[in-house]
Amino acid sequence: MTRLTAAQVAKGDELPATQVHVTRADLVRYAGASGDFNPIHWNQRFAEQVGLPGVIAHGMLTMALANRFVADWVGDPGAIVECGTKFTRPVPVPDDEQGALLEISGKVTDLSEDGTAKITVTVAFEGKSVLGRPVALVKLG
Amino acid sequence: MITDEAERIAALGPSPRRPARDAVNPAMINNWTEALGDGNSAYPELAPPAMVQVWTMRGLHPAAEEHDPLAAMSAVLDEAGYTSVVATNCEQTYHRYLRPGEHVSVSSVLDAVVGPKRTALGEGWFVTTRSTWFVGDEPVAEMLFRILKFKPGNKSTASALQPTVSRDTEFFWQGTKLGELRVQRCSACGVVRHPPGPMCPRCNALDPGYVVATGLGEVFSYVVHHHPPVPGRELPYVVALVELSEGVRMLGELVGVPPDEVRVGLPVRVGFRPVGEFVLPVWEAR
């Protein structure tokens, strides 16, 4: 797989921003695909009973979307050597066709001499960021 | 109790490696990348690194897992009433791609248990575990995972803030319960002062007494509070600094007067409003 080379990347580069609609159907698919069957991610009644604003997206799904965003940019998912985040704000997913609209953007915030780039990602829902400082370390080609 | 159990579980160290139910396989890779909408052509010949945790998920009917520190700690917290869970942090490190046919195993250790903390969701404990995934003896990925185990429906209630009582202010709050507005007065030189303190600012005597004020005064200054929200109060509300006829100034909420009708010099009298275990003095127009 071709991945971006260090020569193609500069500190301060913005990654092409993207938007992702996360619907209830996506949550059901992700629950099955990930093995995370916690009912807060698909059962409105249960989610409200345990004090949540409604059915919320899996944090790991949101993080994986951020990861995919970085992988699409660098061209090779294997280039990501580390990633981490805080789940600072739940993403309530309404029971409609649009679901929750996530706006994902990112920036190269560091570039070290060994060709490792630090990407700081922002995932926003309704104008507020839902992940706390998601950062990915990417080994450039 | 919770802390003792946390120490005990942490002291057990990394759990024995638990093998994944299935080998890394293209069917699950396809399900996962489809769910993510990820059409990268490298899949499913390779597995997405971010999928590592998926391989060792325990299915719909997980067997009792006596060696898993997260399960053990969750059971302790469930028992204590902290039955709800949300994930709060995740940090993953990937050493290489996994390929279909490889069989991973996972070992976890309890890293930290912190609480009880008051959070927006309710009172809860943060539980941090560290996991390592292996193929054979080769570590292929690591993860720090933190969850919040919380008591559902236990949000901090929006009751009004209560005053703090000290030895200096005790007489004041005892007075309001009796419908008396008490003002501190130096027993040595007779000067009145407010707010209460241990020493007379004029003669330095450490002998405070009090007088019961008439409760009549005038607005000396005021603010209209629009933001931020304050527990137990409806916005906007007026806080007035009132100069009492005894000569001291005292803060309190001005009630019954719309914010745009308040003015400096407005004659007021004290009223008393019960809040929880306290009675707060408030100002009313007269």
Side-chain angles (χ1 to χ4, degrees), chain B residues 90-103:
Chain B
C90 179
E91 292 167 20
Q92 296 188 333
T93 305
Y94 316 116
H95 299 310
R96 66 166 174 84
Y97 272 120
L98 293 172
R99 291 185 158 72
E102 290 191 304
H103 216 122

Side-chain angles (χ1 to χ4, degrees), chain A residues 8-116:
Chain A
Q8 294 171 284
V9 174
K11 185 175 167 179
D13 282 359
E14 303 261 357
L15 281 63
T18 186
Q19 294 188 329
V20 181
H21 286 277
V22 177
T23 65
R24 291 279 176 98
D26 291 318
L27 300 191
V28 172
R29 285 190 202 112
Y30 184 79
S34 68
D36 182 344
F37 301 108
N38 188 332
I40 63 173
H41 301 306
W42 52 269
N43 183 328
Q44 181 86 18
R45 187 168 39 84
F46 183 90
E48 286 172 358
Q49 264 170 18
V50 301
L52 293 167
V55 165
I56 63 169
H58 303 72
M60 296 302 281
L61 169 59
T62 312
M63 176 165 154
L65 290 169
N67 247 8
R68 187 200 148 193
F69 166 74
V70 175
D72 284 351
W73 168 76
V74 74
D76 176 3
I80 301 175
V81 291
E82 256 184 59
C83 64
T85 190
K86 289 183 187 176
F87 305 114
T88 45
R89 203 181 287 276
V91 178
V93 177
D95 184 13
D96 60 24
E97 300 305 312
Q98 297 297 306
L101 177 64
L102 297 179
E103 296 176 88
I104 310 180
S105 57
K107 195 173 182 178
V108 180
T109 46
D110 204 5
L111 188 58
S112 66
E113 287 184 2
D114 69 354
T116 304

Side-chain angles (χ1 to χ4, degrees), chain B:
Chain B
M1 164 62 188
I2 289 171
T3 313
D4 292 345
E5 281 297 292
E7 279 175 18
R8 182 187 68 77
I9 295 166
L12 295 174
S15 60
R17 290 181 207 166
R18 176 173 58 84
R21 180 172 64 181
D22 302 300
V24 174
N25 65 83
M28 282 304 286
I29 294 171
N30 282 331
N31 285 340
W32 197 88
T33 53
E34 263 178 25
L36 267 287
D38 190 344
N40 195 306
S41 61
Y43 310 134
E45 280 69 37
L46 298 171
M51 222 183 136
V52 65
Q53 188 190 18
V54 172
W55 303 116
T56 49
M57 291 298 274
R58 295 187 299 167
L60 267 185
H61 307 290
E65 190 61 62
E66 58 173 319
H67 297 301
D68 180 55
L70 185 54
M73 199 60 228
S74 294
V76 170
L77 289 164
D78 282 341
E79 188 74 15
Y82 300 93
T83 49
S84 292
V85 61
V86 287
T88 64
N89 296 64
C90 179
E91 292 167 20
Q92 296 188 333
T93 305
Y94 316 116
H95 299 310
R96 66 166 174 84
Y97 272 120
L98 293 172
R99 291 185 158 72
E102 290 191 304
H103 216 122
V104 302
S105 61
V106 65
S107 166
S108 301
V109 64
L110 185 63
D111 190 67
V113 176
V114 179
K117 298 277 189 190
R118 288 176 71 177
T119 75
L121 289 169
E123 184 183 284
W125 293 71
F126 289 95
V127 179
T128 308
T129 53
R130 290 179 184 276
S131 301
T132 305
W133 283 268
F134 296 88
V135 172
D137 285 332
E138 176 199 4
V140 291
E142 280 122 37
M143 175 172 75
L144 174 150
F145 198 63
R146 185 169 299 141
I147 60 166
L148 170 68
K149 286 283 284 175
F150 65 98
K151 282 186 182 169
N154 188 24
K155 292 184 186 183
S156 54
T157 50
S159 61
L161 298 173
Q162 308 257 320
T164 310
V165 177
S166 69
R167 277 193 292 176
D168 291 331
T169 61
E170 203 177 358
F171 78 97
F172 183 87
W173 300 113
Q174 283 171 350
T176 56
K177 280 182 188 164
L178 301 171
E180 292 182 357
L181 187 65
R182 296 176 176 175
V183 175
Q184 207 172 37
R185 178 168 165 274
C186 178
S187 302
C189 75
V191 75
V192 291
R193 61 185 192 254
H194 188 85
M199 181 183 282
C200 176
R202 189 169 74 181
C203 74
N204 293 357
L206 293 165
D207 190 10
Y210 68 84
V211 292
V212 177
T214 58
L216 302 177
E218 289 182 357
V219 171
F220 182 81
S221 184
Y222 67 97
V223 292
V224 181
H225 186 95
H226 294 276
H227 189 79
V230 176
R233 290 192 199 269
E234 276 184 35
L235 301 180
Y237 64 94
V238 179
V239 178
L241 181 65
V242 166
E243 185 155 287
L244 293 171
S245 53
E246 287 76 13
V248 295
R249 293 175 193 154
M250 192 180 290
L251 279 169
E253 184 175 347
L254 176 61
V255 298
V257 182
D260 55 0
E261 290 178 19
V262 185
R263 57 182 174 80
V264 169
L266 183 76
V268 296
R269 82 159 45 83
V270 74
F272 296 95
R273 176 185 280 184
V275 173
E277 294 171 16
F278 287 86
V279 176
L280 300 183
V282 296
W283 309 117
E284 297 162 351
R286 63 181 159 100

